[in-house]
Amino acid sequence: MVRHPCLANTLFDSAPSLITQQIQMHGRPNPEVPTPIVDLKCPIVVCDMEAEDQPIIFASDPFYQLTGYNRKDVIGKNCRFLQAPHGTNVMPGSTRRHVDNESVRRMRDAVYNQRELEIKVVNFKKSGAGFVNFLTIIMVSYKGRRYSVGLLSESK
């Protein structure tokens, strides 16, 4: 099994909200993807699965560094904007022109069925440059609400 580079046996050293994510990820029932402590230098994105269109509610500084986007570009948007150069409008359920549609189907199925997933998928930076994203999606619950935590890594 290929391990996500951000899933390392390291100590975390960041904000309480990220520590809470760590606790929730490790305490989840029936994990499908093994998750030791996450290296918080990893690009992380958190989406609210109960809000309309599952918007991003948190992205880590390493996420912004990897993608070139800033907070205003990202918060409140669905992650599918990464599936087109320059974050052009990608509609829910549409056929993707720049990303393998089978990968999109697998991600959509995982999200809607609350399943965990590790997948390599082409994403795009704000500059329009494509990159292979080794993406891990973990579903967590916190205070009765469902979230997805995405761990990103540019695959070489």
Side-chain angles (χ1 to χ4, degrees):
M1 172 195 237
V2 177
R3 297 293 306 137
H4 193 286
C6 292
L7 297 175
N9 290 315
T10 60
L11 295 175
F12 44 86
D13 56 1
S14 194
S17 63
L18 293 178
I19 292 170
T20 300
Q21 288 175 17
Q22 294 278 328
I23 293 166
Q24 294 299 317
M25 283 180 18
H26 291 287
R28 69 195 191 281
N30 307 313
E32 298 170 51
V33 175
T35 53
I37 300 298
V38 175
D39 179 350
L40 294 182
K41 295 178 187 84
C42 173
I44 297 173
V45 62
V46 179
C47 299
D48 185 338
M49 300 310 295
E50 295 189 17
E52 183 178 348
D53 206 26
Q54 299 84 37
I56 297 169
I57 60 167
F58 171 83
S60 66
D61 287 341
F63 173 89
Y64 297 126
Q65 292 164 1
L66 171 64
T67 65
Y69 286 99
N70 63 45
R71 183 175 167 75
K72 286 194 283 189
D73 297 326
V74 170
I75 301 300
K77 285 190 178 176
N78 182 287
C79 289
R80 73 178 156 269
F81 77 91
L82 293 169
Q83 297 173 1
H86 310 291
T88 53
N89 196 17
V90 179
M91 300 305 295
S94 66
T95 299
R96 306 301 194 262
R97 296 185 322 185
H98 307 285
V99 177
D100 172 53
N101 281 285
E102 177 59 19
S103 296
V104 172
R105 185 198 62 75
R106 287 184 61 211
M107 289 185 293
R108 186 181 304 126
D109 287 351
V111 167
Y112 286 110
N113 293 309
Q114 300 181 47
R115 302 288 309 255
E116 298 176 1
L117 177 69
E118 287 185 320
I119 189 169
K120 286 188 178 182
V121 61
V122 174
N123 279 166
F124 292 87
K125 299 180 182 192
K126 187 174 184 175
S127 68
F131 71 99
V132 177
N133 179 9
F134 185 13
L135 174 66
T136 300
I137 301 172
I138 306 290
M139 308 308 265
V140 298
S141 293
Y142 181 67
K143 293 187 177 181
R145 207 161 169 91
R146 294 176 306 115
Y147 301 92
S148 68
V149 178
L151 308 170
L152 294 78
S153 178
E154 186 168 9
S155 184
K156 305 294 181 198

